[in-house]
Amino acid sequence: MTKQPPSGISYAGKVVLVTGAASGIGRAMALAFGRAGACVVIADTAVDGGHMTAALIVEAGGKALFVKTNVTVTTEVEALVDKAVSHYGRVDVAVNGAAIEEEHLPLADGEDAQFDRIMNVNVKGVWLCMRSELRQMLKQEGGGVILNIADAGGLVAVPNHAMYAASKHAVIGLTKTAAVEYAKSDVRINSLCPGAVKTPMLARMLERDPGRDKKIKAAHPMGRIADPAEVANAALWLCSDQASFVTGHQLAVDGGLTAM
């Protein structure tokens, strides 16, 4: 098993924006794009983590900028894209990964406030980011690529996580619709659907449900949980020119989970 970036893929001269990049999959993606030569714009509400991601890229010889951003606030999202453009000149790739997961209960036991929080970040946040990113990409030469981080739970049922699953199904709906709307505008839009990945989000879930890690591993035909770098490598390919005829696609990086 390799965690090295796919050979032949370079982002030299490209500007890549990644939301939710202070930790987990977002950080892994930001680091991978940085290693591939991109100028990386890192967005998150977690200031320390965001600065750490940027520092790791710079220490490795890359270029990075952290912008504290709440993706649920229109003005902050617009300021993020404006900052990326003013600093680096354009946005070639945007990875929308900011999300939350905070439920473990049957649907009938859910609360209004919890539903609103999840939908606000996971759906409205993606929509706001896509809107600002598209407006920039449509006016710049060469268009761009948008990658939304959905989830295997956006493709199948996730018992006791109905709100989260619904939010990720919605992300896929946004992805498909936008991909068709802008297919002739030199903008490709896809989603990535990871299975279980070793992230702080998964760690929090396992804290609420001790022993669940064995069940999670068993649910994946490959019998293990993914490393964030494995998801990042898939993103590198999907956002590259090697995937130039791929749009409106949901790429499952799930160890065979959704094949069952």
Side-chain angles (χ1 to χ4, degrees):
M1 179 183 67
T2 178
K3 298 175 185 177
Q4 297 301 313
S7 61
I9 295 180
S10 172
Y11 282 85
K14 301 288 188 180
V15 180
V16 179
L17 186 160
V18 185
T19 71
S23 64
I25 294 172
R27 172 176 283 178
M29 290 184 175
L31 296 177
F33 280 111
R35 285 193 297 268
C39 297
V40 186
V41 180
I42 296 150
D44 208 298
T45 55
V47 175
D48 290 344
H51 281 303
M52 177 59 73
T53 301
L56 290 170
I57 294 172
V58 172
E59 288 170 6
K63 296 181 179 179
L65 170 70
F66 170 64
V67 182
K68 183 178 182 294
T69 309
N70 182 337
V71 297
T72 70
V73 180
T74 299
T75 54
E76 293 196 23
V77 172
E78 292 174 344
L80 167 65
V81 174
D82 288 345
K83 185 71 172 180
V85 174
S86 65
H87 203 77
Y88 291 123
R90 57 188 288 119
V91 176
D92 295 290
V93 176
V95 180
N96 298 316
I100 59 172
E101 188 287 311
E102 56 178 30
E103 68 180 308
H104 180 65
L105 72 172
L107 188 149
D109 295 339
E111 298 179 357
D112 292 10
Q114 189 176 43
F115 181 90
D116 290 342
R117 283 195 302 272
I118 291 173
M119 292 297 168
N120 201 32
V121 176
N122 296 8
V123 183
K124 182 183 178 183
V126 170
W127 176 73
L128 287 175
C129 287
M130 289 179 71
R131 185 175 67 177
S132 289
E133 294 153 1
L134 279 165
R135 288 172 177 173
Q136 172 59 33
M137 291 176 179
L138 291 172
K139 67 184 181 183
Q140 68 188 23
E141 184 178 355
V145 178
I146 294 175
L147 179 62
N148 296 322
I149 308 306
D151 192 281
L155 300 170
V156 295
V158 187
N160 295 320
H161 296 275
M163 302 176 212
Y164 179 79
S167 74
K168 292 304 185 176
H169 276 74
V171 168
I172 290 175
L174 286 171
T175 300
K176 287 182 175 181
T177 301
V180 172
E181 288 179 354
Y182 298 100
K184 295 181 179 178
S185 300
D186 209 13
V187 178
R188 294 191 300 110
I189 306 170
N190 295 290
S191 68
L192 206 58
C193 301
V197 184
K198 297 173 186 175
T199 64
M201 182 182 288
L202 179 64
R204 290 191 295 271
M205 183 189 301
L206 295 178
E207 285 179 4
R208 295 194 297 270
D209 189 9
R212 192 180 178 198
D213 58 330
K214 293 181 180 179
K215 295 179 182 178
I216 291 174
K217 290 176 182 178
H220 293 68
M222 291 183 73
R224 64 179 179 86
I225 295 172
D227 187 277
E230 295 179 283
V231 182
N233 284 344
L236 282 182
W237 175 79
L238 196 53
C239 293
S240 76
D241 291 340
Q242 293 186 14
S244 57
F245 202 56
V246 181
T247 197
H249 180 64
Q250 289 68 58
L251 179 59
V253 185
D254 65 356
L257 174 67
T258 56
M260 297 293 287

